[in-house]
Amino acid sequence: MKKMKRSARLVEMTQYLMTKPHTLIPLTTFAERYGAAKSSISEDLAIIKEVFEEGGTGELLTLAGAAGGVKFMPKCGPDKALPVIEELCTVMEQPDRVLPGGYFYITDILGQPALMNDIGRMFASAFAGREIDVVMTVETKGIPIAYATADHLNLPVVLVRRDHVVTEGSAVSINYVSGSHKSIHTMTLARRALKERSRVLIVDDFMRAGGTVHGMIELLYEFNAMVAGVGVLVESEDVPKGERLLHDYVSLVRVGTKDSNERQLVVQPGNYFDGVK
Amino acid sequence: MKKMKRSARLVEMTQYLMTKPHTLIPLTTFAERYGAAKSSISEDLAIIKEVFEEGGTGELLTLAGAAGGVKFMPKCGPDKALPVIEELCTVMEQPDRVLPGGYFYITDILGQPALMNDIGRMFASAFAGREIDVVMTVETKGIPIAYATADHLNLPVVLVRRDHVVTEGSAVSINYVSGSHKSIHTMTLARRALKERSRVLIVDDFMRAGGTVHGMIELLYEFNAMVAGVGVLVESEDVPKGERLLHDYVSLVRVGTKDSNERQLVVQPGNYFDGVK
């Protein structure tokens, strides 16, 4: 390995850590990679740690001992996330987003990869302490959120389909009742997509009563898997009393309508920010 | 702004640039951010440029003059990409991936966000020189590839749906013939999803004769938009002579079957690597 100057090494280590989140990297990996002493690597890591933690990029966890090393955990806590979500609320409040039937147009928002990255970092923060094996969502609109979250947690994504797709092999299907419209839907997961006893983080773009998420949880039981957490970008407050199917979840945005005028939305930060404001 | 030491500044600038690809950042932004002279910032950028370009992370483009600044362009050229794709070919060659009807199971591969990131960086490299406004794909399996590509190019994603979805508002639908099975399908794009005269990079996970991509191109005409490029992760070589609908595209992987045994796949690097091997 060629020797690098400290300045170049800091740049290289920063980019290396950022592209490998939630991965334990032994100090010897860096020492060999840069032909440097472990003590120099430790000094470099201290500098990176300070910048990452002060700037709100994430935490650098150092584990001592033979099995030790360093792990970068991307973070975006409520304090840091609030300005991003407040700006998003303003965008979501535009009245032309309300479609016939009370639906809500956010496809353009979900089409912004940089914003999805931020949102993924928020969910990765919210669920960083839990043991999770995979991130799950149901097609279609939750997909970018699931990938952004999984990317920051270094986990695979499992995708539930609405129909049984020929390119997936044998599959398990369940029927579920959509809470808000009381209609029956089907969701399907390929047999080989999920291992037994997996701990699953469920994410989705929008939740009203929670019927779809509840359906995914029932699907997990078919695989002897379990829920490790639920995160939704937008939760609707327009749920009749007693009809909410789910109570333990993290939401980033809350949407309600003013009684007097259904076209006028009230959009506020979700329960992720409950302690902050 | 608080003053930072050079070492801390290098870490902070590296992470700042990496999270803002294909974005022109004026030197004054950095100078003000770190309370440093422009000459110091230029020296820092020279160090970062060298590390990024030698390590294959990407290019750092410096534009001089009043409207000048620096732009990070993530790159993963054929040389750097080949080992990643060769490993992927080995994984894809497993015989249990062939499903009834000649379909090909790659859902587990598409479920790996870190790999999708690499693939997105390859497409961002392949199309970095073109003028592109949006990245487009059709649901479902191409979505992670589209987001990873768009993320590295700092562009929005436009998603074509199979059905008209109530949450999208008014939409344009077209019918198209799937080249490989000669069956008729529908695809739909929301009216407000794409501006007229947009230059569109189309990406997808799998292409046989090219019917689906061809359908997306026809849909573009309805919006007075134009194709800026086509990228597919996997192209199938099992296309009867004269039936290929598309000739100008970038593929990362090529799949064929041995005549003698349809369950035995031959998987090789795609045309992105034609000059390399």
Side-chain angles (χ1 to χ4, degrees):
Chain A
M1 278 295 109
K2 68 161 197 178
K3 270 197 180 255
M4 265 189 177
K5 279 194 190 167
R6 159 150 293 165
S7 54
R9 210 164 60 208
L10 283 166
V11 172
E12 173 34 51
M13 282 171 80
T14 302
Q15 76 91 19
Y16 189 92
L17 288 162
M18 283 183 73
T19 51
K20 289 177 185 55
H22 278 270
T23 307
L24 187 68
I25 301 157
L27 293 200
T28 45
T29 302
F30 286 126
E32 285 166 17
R33 198 175 159 91
Y34 309 124
K38 273 201 198 181
S39 57
S40 308
I41 298 294
S42 290
E43 285 168 33
D44 295 346
L45 288 171
I47 295 167
I48 296 173
K49 185 182 169 75
E50 202 184 322
V51 174
F52 277 14
E53 295 183 359
E54 281 197 3
T57 305
E59 285 170 28
L60 213 62
L61 201 72
T62 317
L63 298 164
V70 63
K71 191 193 275 187
F72 168 52
M73 308 204 297
K75 287 277 166 81
C76 190
D79 289 42
K80 192 87 186 167
L82 191 58
V84 178
I85 293 296
E86 279 178 337
E87 202 190 315
L88 182 60
C89 290
T90 311
V91 175
M92 284 190 177
E93 225 161 27
Q94 294 153 353
D96 62 349
R97 295 195 170 272
V98 182
L99 298 170
Y103 290 100
F104 189 41
Y105 185 81
I106 55 168
T107 303
D108 57 330
I109 291 166
L110 298 174
Q112 297 169 34
L115 179 63
M116 292 302 104
N117 251 334
D118 285 345
I119 285 164
R121 217 143 52 85
M122 293 173 203
F123 283 133
S125 253
F127 299 106
R130 311 215 188 162
E131 271 197 73
I132 305 170
D133 301 306
V134 297
V135 177
M136 176 188 265
T137 193
V138 63
E139 61 180 341
T140 303
K141 291 197 293 177
I143 299 176
I145 301 172
Y147 273 86
T149 304
D151 194 15
H152 287 114
L153 290 169
N154 188 32
L155 294 173
V157 173
V158 163
L159 181 60
V160 178
R161 307 293 295 250
R162 300 279 180 187
D163 305 298
H164 184 190
V165 183
V166 286
T167 51
E168 309 262 306
S170 69
V172 178
S173 288
I174 63 146
N175 294 313
Y176 68 99
V177 179
S178 161
S180 43
H181 292 133
K182 303 278 181 216
S183 50
I184 291 181
H185 300 276
T186 304
M187 54 171 82
T188 296
L189 185 60
R191 263 277 164 235
R192 51 173 131 183
L194 189 64
K195 285 201 196 83
E196 290 221 338
R197 265 176 286 282
S198 297
R199 284 154 303 199
V200 181
L201 172 63
I202 294 174
V203 302
D204 210 353
D205 63 311
F206 189 82
M207 183 176 86
R208 206 177 306 234
T212 306
V213 172
H214 201 258
M216 281 192 263
I217 294 172
E218 283 189 18
L219 194 54
L220 290 186
Y221 297 151
E222 297 289 327
F223 285 81
N224 284 318
M226 59 206 98
V227 201
V230 174
V232 294
L233 173 58
V234 182
E235 66 163 313
S236 168
E237 292 188 313
D238 293 341
V239 183
K241 231 179 148 64
E243 290 196 7
R244 195 173 282 286
L245 295 167
L246 203 80
H247 300 276
D248 185 12
Y249 58 85
V250 173
S251 69
L252 300 181
V253 173
R254 272 194 198 106
V255 176
T257 45
K258 283 190 185 158
D259 284 340
S260 52
N261 182 352
E262 281 214 357
R263 287 246 156 186
Q264 177 67 52
L265 294 172
V266 182
V267 187
Q268 290 172 305
N271 68 21
Y272 185 49
F273 304 96
D274 277 355
V276 184
K277 298 198 81 174
Chain B
M1 280 295 109
K2 70 162 194 176
K3 267 199 185 257
M4 263 189 179
K5 279 195 191 167
R6 161 151 290 168
S7 54
R9 210 165 60 206
L10 282 167
V11 172
E12 173 36 52
M13 282 171 79
T14 302
Q15 75 92 19
Y16 189 91
L17 287 163
M18 283 183 72
T19 52
K20 289 179 185 57
H22 279 269
T23 307
L24 186 69
I25 302 156
L27 293 200
T28 44
T29 303
F30 286 127
E32 283 167 17
R33 197 174 160 93
Y34 309 124
K38 272 201 200 179
S39 56
S40 309
I41 297 294
S42 291
E43 285 168 34
D44 296 347
L45 288 171
I47 295 167
I48 296 172
K49 185 182 170 76
E50 202 184 323
V51 174
F52 277 13
E53 294 184 359
E54 282 197 3
T57 305
E59 285 169 28
L60 213 62
L61 200 73
T62 317
L63 297 164
V70 63
K71 191 194 273 188
F72 167 52
M73 308 205 296
K75 285 277 166 80
C76 190
D79 289 41
K80 193 88 186 165
L82 191 58
V84 178
I85 293 298
E86 279 178 337
E87 203 190 314
L88 182 60
C89 289
T90 310
V91 175
M92 283 190 178
E93 224 161 27
Q94 295 154 353
D96 63 347
R97 295 195 171 271
V98 182
L99 298 170
Y103 290 101
F104 189 42
Y105 185 81
I106 55 168
T107 304
D108 57 330
I109 291 166
L110 299 173
Q112 296 169 36
L115 178 62
M116 291 302 104
N117 251 332
D118 285 344
I119 285 164
R121 216 143 51 84
M122 294 175 204
F123 283 134
S125 253
F127 299 106
R130 312 215 188 162
E131 270 197 76
I132 305 170
D133 300 308
V134 297
V135 178
M136 175 189 267
T137 193
V138 62
E139 61 179 341
T140 302
K141 292 197 293 177
I143 299 175
I145 302 172
Y147 274 85
T149 304
D151 193 16
H152 288 112
L153 289 169
N154 189 30
L155 294 173
V157 173
V158 163
L159 181 60
V160 178
R161 308 294 296 249
R162 301 279 181 186
D163 306 298
H164 184 190
V165 183
V166 285
T167 50
E168 309 263 306
S170 68
V172 178
S173 289
I174 62 145
N175 294 314
Y176 69 100
V177 179
S178 161
S180 43
H181 294 131
K182 303 278 180 216
S183 50
I184 291 181
H185 299 275
T186 304
M187 55 171 80
T188 295
L189 185 60
R191 262 276 165 239
R192 51 173 129 182
L194 189 63
K195 286 199 196 85
E196 289 220 339
R197 266 176 285 281
S198 296
R199 283 154 304 201
V200 181
L201 172 62
I202 294 174
V203 301
D204 210 353
D205 62 313
F206 189 82
M207 182 176 88
R208 209 178 305 234
T212 306
V213 172
H214 201 258
M216 280 192 263
I217 294 172
E218 283 190 18
L219 195 54
L220 290 187
Y221 297 151
E222 297 288 326
F223 285 81
N224 284 319
M226 59 206 97
V227 202
V230 175
V232 294
L233 174 57
V234 182
E235 67 162 313
S236 168
E237 292 188 314
D238 294 341
V239 183
K241 232 181 145 63
E243 291 197 6
R244 195 173 283 287
L245 295 166
L246 205 78
H247 299 276
D248 185 14
Y249 58 87
V250 173
S251 70
L252 300 181
V253 174
R254 271 195 199 106
V255 177
T257 45
K258 284 191 184 157
D259 284 342
S260 53
N261 183 351
E262 281 212 359
R263 287 246 157 186
Q264 178 65 53
L265 294 172
V266 182
V267 187
Q268 291 172 304
N271 67 21
Y272 185 48
F273 304 96
D274 277 354
V276 184
K277 300 196 82 179

